[in-house]
Amino acid sequence: MSEKTNVQSAAQASPSILEIRGLQKSFAELYVLKDISLSVDRGNVMSIIGPSGSGKSTLLRCTSFLETADGGDILYDGQYAVNGGVYASKAELNRFRTKFGLVFQNFNLFPHYSVMRNISEAPILHGQNKEEVSERAVQLLKKMGLEGKENAYPCQLSGGQQQRVAIARALAMQPEILYFDEPTSALDPELTGEVLKVIRQLADENMTMVIVTHEMAFARAVSEWVIFMDGGVIVEEGEPERLFGEPSQERTRQFLRNYQQ
């Protein structure tokens, strides 16, 4: 991964919290992302839909620096984290990492940590006041409907409860934007609703979110903007009522026929 000494500001200030320009990623000879460009304004919810293998999760992983992009730009608040495939310094990337939280489809909680420690570990390691972090964690558990679970361990929780702990953990760092990578795909249908309810509540509170999801009705209801990906490209994007109701591309129409609207 290449490094640059200083973060370069975008030539013009952008109202978007996140901008991606011409992002590219390949694994060996397989091109997973091909010239992806998008922007997310503060307070908005963007849903990314598409078939398995379309590049949705890889896009989130590149945006959160879990994968290294081969080319393109990634900007947070108008500052380059990645400029033409060249990454900012390690220290600067660590600063950018404080701007987002990531919720995985398989929860990724530490099994040997209590719920409280799972939520509070990262903020404390980043130097935040332990008492303030603990108080924030208690409030987040209340917000997630998990009061009294502070001392429980992940194995004692349902899948839906574990995912709500994972959301609380992401929120504990007080990020500016939350990424969700298919947050309900590992859950039984009965537990999916409780997680979607939490995400909907965050949307009502104007939390900026990018959600990779197969929940079409949810994406239509909660999003300001929807992107349909296939084959590593953005096939179509637009406001949810237009994209779900009157998609302009045949590939989008074909994909949506598989879901009950």
Side-chain angles (χ1 to χ4, degrees):
M1 183 183 298
S2 301
E3 293 187 351
K4 294 184 347 181
T5 305
N6 296 306
V7 173
Q8 296 185 33
S9 294
Q12 294 181 338
S14 168
S16 301
I17 183 173
L18 170 69
E19 288 183 82
I20 295 174
R21 304 171 182 166
L23 197 68
Q24 302 171 40
K25 176 65 181 176
S26 63
F27 296 101
E29 296 182 357
L30 176 63
Y31 284 88
V32 182
L33 300 176
K34 308 170 187 175
D35 195 27
I36 298 292
S37 297
L38 58 85
S39 64
V40 183
D41 289 342
R42 194 176 301 276
N44 281 2
V45 177
M46 173 184 287
S47 290
I48 304 177
I49 63 173
S52 298
S54 61
K56 307 183 301 298
S57 293
T58 301
L59 174 58
L60 279 195
R61 291 179 65 83
C62 286
T63 306
S64 56
F65 315 137
L66 295 175
E67 296 284 358
T68 303
D70 299 324
D73 305 333
I74 300 174
L75 298 89
Y76 283 97
D77 288 326
Q79 292 184 313
Y80 285 100
V82 183
N83 187 352
V86 179
Y87 279 69
S89 69
K90 183 177 180 180
E92 289 160 348
L93 287 179
N94 284 337
R95 182 172 64 83
F96 285 121
R97 285 189 178 97
T98 67
K99 292 183 176 291
F100 58 79
L102 180 59
V103 179
F104 300 89
Q105 60 186 31
N106 292 316
F107 324 137
N108 284 22
L109 299 176
F110 294 109
H112 55 295
Y113 286 0
S114 67
V115 165
M116 176 61 78
R117 190 173 177 187
N118 264 287
I119 295 171
S120 59
E121 183 84 353
I124 291 172
L125 287 176
H126 278 79
Q128 296 185 28
N129 180 275
K130 188 173 182 179
E131 289 185 3
E132 292 178 1
V133 170
S134 295
E135 183 178 340
R136 190 186 314 144
V138 170
Q139 292 302 313
L140 284 169
L141 285 172
K142 183 178 180 180
K143 185 186 186 77
M144 298 295 130
L146 293 170
E147 288 178 277
K149 297 293 185 181
E150 291 87 350
N151 297 318
Y153 286 81
C155 65
Q156 298 173 308
L157 304 176
S158 70
Q161 289 173 326
Q162 289 186 61
Q163 190 62 295
R164 283 181 280 156
V165 172
I167 295 171
R169 179 179 61 181
L171 289 169
M173 285 295 291
Q174 299 177 300
E176 297 178 39
I177 183 170
L178 271 185
Y179 299 129
F180 291 87
D181 186 6
E182 300 191 15
T184 61
S185 66
L187 300 177
D188 294 334
E190 187 175 356
L191 300 177
T192 294
E194 64 188 46
V195 172
L196 295 182
K197 181 181 178 181
V198 168
I199 299 174
R200 188 185 295 269
Q201 179 183 350
L202 293 172
D204 290 341
E205 296 170 359
N206 295 318
M207 183 72 203
T208 311
M209 294 182 281
V210 178
I211 307 170
V212 170
T213 183
H214 283 110
E215 301 287 342
M216 297 298 117
F218 178 75
R220 184 171 187 167
V222 80
S223 309
E224 275 81 26
W225 199 254
V226 178
I227 285 177
F228 170 61
M229 288 183 64
D230 191 24
V233 301
I234 295 176
V235 175
E236 186 169 356
E237 59 183 306
E239 294 179 348
E241 288 307 310
R242 202 280 304 162
L243 189 139
F244 285 104
E246 298 180 5
S248 62
Q249 300 298 313
E250 175 55 33
R251 181 65 187 95
T252 313
R253 291 193 289 270
Q254 182 184 39
F255 174 78
L256 291 175
R257 286 189 199 110
N258 294 324
Y259 292 91
Q260 295 291 330
Q261 299 299 310

